[in-house]
Amino acid sequence: MPISLGVQKKTFKVKILKIFLFVSLLPLLILSASNIYIVISSRQKNIAELQNLAIENASEKITKFINQKIEGMNLVVSGSARNGAPVSNLHDIDPLNLAFLIGSIKENAGEMAQSVDFIDNDGRILLRNDSTSGLTIASYFEGSGGQLPENAAKKEKIADNASAEDYFQKALSGRNYFGKLEFTGGKPLMQIASQIENQEKEIIGVIAAVIDISQIDSLVKQVNLGNTGYIYVLDRRGFIVAGSSNGKAEVGDNLASVPLVKEVMEGRIYDGLLQFTTYENKEKQELVFSGKLMNDGLWLVISEWPKDDAFLVLRNVLKLSIGISLATIVLMAFLGFYFARQIVKPIQLLAKGVKKISEGDLEYRISYSTNDEFDLLRDQFNEMAKILKENEALKEEMVHIAAHELKAPVTAIKGYVSMMMDGTFGQVPEPIMKNLAIVFSTNERLVNLVHDLLEASKAGAGKMTISLASVAITEHIQKAVTELASLAEKKNIKITYHPLDEPRNVSADAQKLDEVIVNFLSNAIKYTKEGGSVDISHLAKDGWLTTNFKDTGIGMAEEQRQKLFTKYYRIKSEETKNIEGTGLGLYICKEIIEKMGGRIEVASELGKGSVFSFGLKISL
Ligand code: ADP
């Protein structure tokens, strides 16, 4: 059985590579997957935190702005009441003075104040300065004897009493009040209220105003999220009061139709930390959404951050980590390949060694070292090869001795029998002559065997002697054809020789060349069935003369062809079982031809025939 290494070699290496990659990459993949999961969720948390921060930030800016405005309205009234007593309630102050105060308040609150009310401790609205209807004065003052301002509008008396109103109660209790943000008449308005105090810091009344807070838009514009995220401040009806510069909607637009915004208006809190929410807008852009009512529901702030931008950092991190992972995989593959090679190499060398030994190369030794258990195996292999070699040498020696000892007797028998047959010892009767012929031919086989054994043994020991000369090969072939003609005739095999038109001499040992020619020709006859043919031809090319022995015989398979020149090798098949032979002929031929500086080749096809060739250098 031929030893085939190719398939197993690759499979084993691939197996080791797979194990290595599995063992090294699986934890890496699990780690990367969990890392990616952690990075994504922490980025989500991060996004939510940034959105919350932006929302808080915008609300704080608004609160701060309004507080400033309220502080500006905080009023301390000096002086005394109309009757000269300290002022304990606002209605004791001269209306003229109040009108003067209200004017200054309007100035303080700037253009923003839409209306300013002065309310006494009992909740009566004493004076109102409205940007549309002008100064209005309460009926209370008309009969008070105080001086009324000239420009006071009297067409409408203030009958309102604010004592039940939240803003009044809160301001009267000493706290500043600001009301719901309302987008009305194209402007964001807000009611605010503060205290009016006397010099003793006693509250003597309340000042309430409706102010235009359009300015908060410019404050909120400073709030941005990443590159493209934005926030909107909305009133409770969904009108945009202020927004970041990135936002697409304008102040005054109503977002109540956006479902998520509507939910926020109804009080639902969209906090990314509790629940990460994204939605697709009309332009099919995915947005991360946050939103909640602020300052006890006075307004609401929503934040929208295009997902692409929000996760930009993450995408870069992911790209980087994918890049690193791929680089690691490539590195691992290289390392895996390297390790697999390292592991498989000794096995391959051992397999090669076994193949060499099985092919008869008993000189083959393994020298590769891995400094581990393999070295032990290598030493044992080398030891085995050494013992095989010694046994082989012993066998060769025994064969040589036997052949050598047999040579003299069989040669003597041959000589005596042929002398008997020639009549040297007198006339031999016919029946004895017949038996003598049998003895002669049987002994002849023995002579040939002894000759082959001695030749092979000499060749194996490198003791074959060759003396090169310029040999006319054509004559040698013709001689062999003549010698073997009777053998061919017996099997009705036609031998045809095609000598070159210009015969060439070759560099060869004439006697040894005869051996090769006879061997090739006799094999061609032996292994060709009855009625077949043998063709002998030459090809002279590039200084070489190739002689081909082409037969129409049984041929052989490729793996048999490869072992053909091994000592004692014979093809065992149905067709060869009755053909006698030693398996030494081709071995000897090869040794001879190579020793003569030539080369030997075989081409064959099973069942169709073979071409045995030898090439020798052309000599002049
Ligand atoms: P043998 O004494 O057996 O002929 P050889 O060394 O001459 O020994 O040949 C070795 C083997 O090669 C043979 O046993 C035979 O199987 C095969 N062989 C040699 N010549 C031919 C051929 N012309 N056609 C087919 N098989 C051949």
Side-chain angles (χ1 to χ4, degrees):
M1 263 295 280
I3 299 171
S4 101
L5 298 164
V7 180
Q8 287 132 331
K9 179 179 73 182
K10 277 181 197 151
T11 319
F12 191 48
K13 203 187 271 181
V14 169
K15 214 181 260 177
I16 292 174
L17 189 65
K18 274 185 193 163
I19 292 171
F20 181 82
L21 288 180
F22 183 77
V23 169
S24 61
L25 289 184
L26 191 71
L28 187 83
L29 289 178
I30 293 172
L31 212 68
S32 304
S34 54
N35 266 351
I36 287 171
Y37 174 76
I38 291 167
V39 170
I40 289 176
S41 48
S42 78
R43 180 58 189 164
Q44 280 190 351
K45 195 172 161 237
N46 207 222
I47 290 168
E49 276 168 356
L50 287 171
Q51 279 187 314
N52 281 350
L53 213 65
I55 289 174
E56 301 290 345
N57 192 0
S59 259
E60 248 170 52
K61 280 186 193 296
I62 298 170
T63 319
K64 207 169 151 197
F65 173 79
I66 297 165
N67 271 330
Q68 265 175 10
K69 296 301 151 198
I70 295 181
E71 294 306 322
M73 290 201 317
N74 225 316
L75 209 62
V76 177
V77 179
S78 56
S80 53
R82 279 186 298 268
N83 56 13
V87 181
S88 61
N89 198 341
L90 197 62
H91 62 252
D92 291 339
I93 293 180
D94 191 301
L96 200 62
N97 287 341
L98 268 189
F100 172 74
L101 279 174
I102 209 167
S104 79
I105 286 295
K106 272 208 78 171
E107 246 167 56
N108 256 353
E111 289 302 305
M112 296 185 309
Q114 300 295 296
S115 71
V116 184
D117 289 354
F118 274 55
I119 309 164
D120 72 7
N121 276 352
D122 305 319
R124 279 178 298 195
I125 301 170
L126 304 179
L127 267 179
R128 168 168 294 164
N129 194 342
D130 196 304
S131 52
T132 48
S133 41
L135 189 64
T136 312
I137 205 150
S139 53
Y140 167 81
F141 277 123
E142 285 184 304
S144 69
Q147 256 191 296
L148 290 176
E150 279 167 24
N151 61 345
K154 297 186 188 86
K155 50 186 169 201
E156 208 182 311
K157 304 290 175 267
I158 308 168
D160 298 337
N161 190 306
S163 57
E165 301 291 338
D166 265 3
Y167 69 86
F168 173 74
Q169 292 297 338
K170 199 168 176 188
L172 195 68
S173 70
R175 287 172 293 157
N176 286 338
Y177 169 89
F178 44 94
K180 276 185 190 167
L181 222 162
E182 302 277 0
F183 194 82
T184 320
K187 290 178 206 161
L189 301 176
M190 181 179 278
Q191 186 172 41
I192 56 176
S194 184
Q195 308 79 38
I196 304 170
E197 294 170 348
N198 64 14
Q199 277 171 315
E200 273 81 42
K201 297 268 174 202
E202 290 163 349
I203 297 171
I204 58 168
V206 165
I207 181 166
V210 173
I211 57 167
D212 174 354
I213 54 165
S214 305
Q215 280 180 26
I216 63 165
D217 186 43
S218 62
L219 296 175
V220 172
K221 282 225 167 357
Q222 297 162 5
V223 182
N224 281 320
L225 262 177
N227 295 322
T228 54
Y230 47 86
I231 59 157
Y232 291 129
V233 177
L234 311 179
D235 77 357
R236 294 293 305 260
R237 287 173 302 147
F239 283 103
I240 296 180
V241 170
S244 319
S245 43
N246 278 335
K248 287 182 194 108
E250 306 267 320
V251 169
D253 288 354
N254 194 302
L255 299 185
S257 59
V258 179
L260 287 172
V261 176
K262 195 155 190 286
E263 285 181 43
V264 176
M265 283 162 60
E266 284 159 5
R268 174 151 183 195
I269 296 172
Y270 270 99
D271 182 336
L273 291 173
L274 300 173
Q275 183 201 347
F276 195 77
T277 311
T278 59
Y279 84 101
E280 217 173 61
N281 65 10
K282 277 182 230 138
E283 288 95 44
K284 298 271 165 214
Q285 189 180 31
E286 240 198 310
L287 303 162
V288 183
F289 183 84
S290 260
K292 50 186 157 182
L293 288 172
M294 301 301 290
N295 278 53
D296 297 328
L298 299 183
W299 60 79
L300 51 117
V301 185
I302 61 157
S303 140
E304 292 182 335
W305 195 352
K307 212 175 163 189
D308 279 355
D309 182 42
F311 284 96
L312 185 70
V313 186
L314 184 68
R315 271 211 308 280
N316 289 340
V317 170
L318 284 183
K319 264 188 213 159
L320 190 74
S321 62
I322 286 171
I324 292 172
S325 298
L326 284 179
T328 314
I329 289 172
V330 172
L331 185 74
M332 286 300 176
F334 272 112
L335 281 179
F337 192 72
Y338 172 76
F339 288 134
R341 258 182 61 145
Q342 291 296 102
I343 294 169
V344 169
K345 196 175 176 188
I347 298 170
Q348 283 176 328
L349 286 175
L350 212 58
K352 186 182 168 195
V354 172
K355 191 166 184 264
K356 286 270 183 193
I357 297 286
S358 76
E359 284 168 359
D361 183 0
L362 300 181
E363 298 286 344
Y364 190 81
R365 298 288 181 272
I366 300 171
S367 56
Y368 186 72
S369 170
T370 52
N371 292 323
D372 54 30
E373 286 84 345
F374 167 75
D375 286 5
L376 188 70
L377 198 60
R378 177 205 61 195
D379 292 344
Q380 282 168 355
F381 171 88
N382 288 342
E383 185 60 23
M384 176 198 76
K386 192 179 142 212
I387 292 169
L388 280 175
K389 172 111 182 72
E390 283 167 4
N391 287 346
E392 180 70 13
L394 211 63
K395 189 181 88 188
E396 286 298 316
E397 202 185 327
M398 281 176 65
V399 169
H400 181 79
I401 292 169
H404 197 262
E405 290 303 312
L406 278 170
K407 193 179 174 184
V410 293
T411 314
I413 291 169
K414 183 178 175 170
Y416 280 113
V417 172
S418 70
M419 278 159 70
M420 278 179 192
M421 287 169 80
D422 288 350
T424 313
F425 304 116
Q427 194 66 32
V428 180
E430 189 59 28
I432 295 175
M433 191 62 150
K434 245 183 177 176
N435 286 318
L436 274 179
I438 293 169
V439 172
F440 186 81
S441 83
T442 311
N443 186 62
E444 193 61 11
R445 292 221 307 270
L446 215 52
V447 170
N448 287 339
L449 174 67
V450 169
H451 171 265
D452 280 359
L453 284 172
L454 284 173
E455 282 285 291
S457 138
K458 262 195 245 167
K463 287 181 187 159
M464 185 188 279
T465 49
I466 294 279
S467 53
L468 291 177
S470 181
V471 179
I473 189 168
T474 311
E475 290 162 20
H476 288 261
I477 290 172
Q478 277 163 345
K479 191 175 85 186
V481 170
T482 315
E483 268 175 28
L484 295 170
S486 60
L487 199 65
E489 267 166 33
K490 274 188 206 157
K491 289 178 79 179
N492 192 22
I493 289 171
K494 192 174 175 233
I495 302 174
T496 317
Y497 176 40
H498 310 273
L500 285 177
D501 293 341
E502 276 179 56
R504 299 292 181 84
N505 278 13
V506 289
S507 164
D509 178 315
Q511 205 189 333
K512 300 278 181 202
L513 180 64
D514 277 342
E515 269 187 53
V516 175
I517 295 170
V518 168
N519 214 305
F520 273 27
L521 188 55
S522 63
N523 273 353
I525 298 166
K526 253 161 75 177
Y527 299 106
T528 297
K529 286 180 188 157
E530 284 202 21
S533 65
V534 177
D535 255 50
I536 308 165
S537 61
H538 296 292
L539 178 72
K541 201 180 168 195
D542 302 331
W544 288 84
L545 184 78
T546 307
T547 306
N548 304 308
F549 294 77
K550 183 173 185 287
D551 64 48
T552 55
I554 58 175
M556 67 196 75
E558 175 58 25
E559 66 266 21
Q560 293 166 335
R561 192 183 65 82
Q562 284 176 4
K563 295 181 140 191
L564 214 55
F565 297 100
T566 319
K567 211 187 239 182
Y568 302 116
Y569 178 74
R570 302 202 72 219
I571 297 170
K572 289 187 182 76
S573 69
E574 264 311 297
E575 277 141 326
T576 60
K577 71 177 181 194
N578 291 324
I579 303 174
E580 281 184 9
T582 58
L584 286 171
L586 288 179
Y587 168 74
I588 295 168
C589 287
K590 184 170 183 270
E591 293 294 321
I592 291 172
I593 292 292
E594 285 177 356
K595 207 89 203 238
M596 295 195 303
R599 55 201 179 199
I600 203 160
E601 272 167 19
V602 187
S604 185
E605 207 177 323
L606 194 62
K608 294 209 167 156
S610 317
V611 184
F612 280 74
S613 316
F614 62 82
L616 290 168
K617 277 187 197 132
I618 294 173
S619 76
L620 299 170

